[in-house]
C-alpha cells in the first residue's frame, strides 16, 4: 500500500534535501517529492499519481533562468522558469526552499 500512497523513494547522487510537494502537470496537481541534488532539481511523483499519468521531471541548475515565489490562498508557490517552460510547485517550507534554490541556481 505504501508503494502507491507513500512518498517515493529517491535514489539520487549528491542529494541535498527532499520535501513533499505538488507539481502542476497539465492543470492537475500531482503529489510527490521535490528534491535538490548537487547539480539538478527534480520532482518524483508518488506511485498512484504516476499510475494516472504524472511524470518525473528534472531541471539542470544551469538551465534555470528565474525562480519566483508567489503567495496563494493557503501556501506559497515556487515557480521555476527555464527557456522552454515554467513549472509551478507547492512545497512544504516554501520560503526555505525558495531561498535555497535562489542561492544554488545561476539565475
Amino acid at each position: 500500500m505504501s508503494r502507491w500512497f507513500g512518498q517515493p523513494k529517491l535514489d539520487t547522487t549528491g542529494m541535498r534535501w527532499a520535501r513533499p510537494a505538488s507539481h502542476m502537470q497539465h492543470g492537475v496537481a500531482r503529489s510527490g517529492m521535490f528534491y535538490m541534488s548537487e547539480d539538478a532539481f527534480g520532482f518524483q511523483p508518488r506511485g498512484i499519481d504516476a499510475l494516472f499519468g504524472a511524470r518525473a521531471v528534472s531541471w539542470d541548475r544551469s538551465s534555470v533562468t528565474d525562480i519566483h515565489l508567489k503567495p496563494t490562498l493557503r501556501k506559497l508557490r515556487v515557480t521555476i522558469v527555464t527557456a522552454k517552460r515554467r513549472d509551478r510547485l507547492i512545497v512544504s517550507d516554501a520560503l526555505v526552499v525558495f531561498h535555497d534554490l535562489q542561492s544554488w541556481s545561476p539565475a
Side-chain angles (χ1 to χ4, degrees), residues 10 12 23 25 33-37 39-45 55-64 80 82 84-85 87 89:
L10 299 172
T12 305
H23 179 234
Q25 295 182 2
M33 294 294 277
F34 180 56
Y35 63 88
M36 180 180 196
S37 67
D39 57 353
F41 312 126
F43 174 79
Q44 183 68 39
R55 64 187 181 355
V57 181
S58 66
W59 306 267
D60 284 336
R61 285 194 301 131
S62 60
S63 69
V64 175
I80 298 173
T82 64
K84 295 182 180 181
R85 66 181 197 238
D87 289 284
L89 296 119

Side-chain angles (χ1 to χ4, degrees), residues 70-88:
K70 180 180 179 183
T72 62
L73 284 174
R74 292 188 215 153
K75 302 206 179 214
L76 295 172
R77 182 175 70 204
V78 175
T79 303
I80 298 173
V81 181
T82 64
K84 295 182 180 181
R85 66 181 197 238
R86 178 181 302 258
D87 289 284
R88 297 175 307 179

Side-chain angles (χ1 to χ4, degrees), residues 3 6 11 28 100:
R3 150 181 124 179
D11 185 21
V28 178
D100 202 18

Side-chain angles (χ1 to χ4, degrees), residues 41 64-69 78-81 98 101-102 105 107:
F41 312 126
V64 175
T65 58
D66 203 0
I67 298 171
H68 302 282
L69 185 68
V78 175
T79 303
I80 298 173
V81 181
F98 174 71
L101 291 175
Q102 278 195 318
S105 74

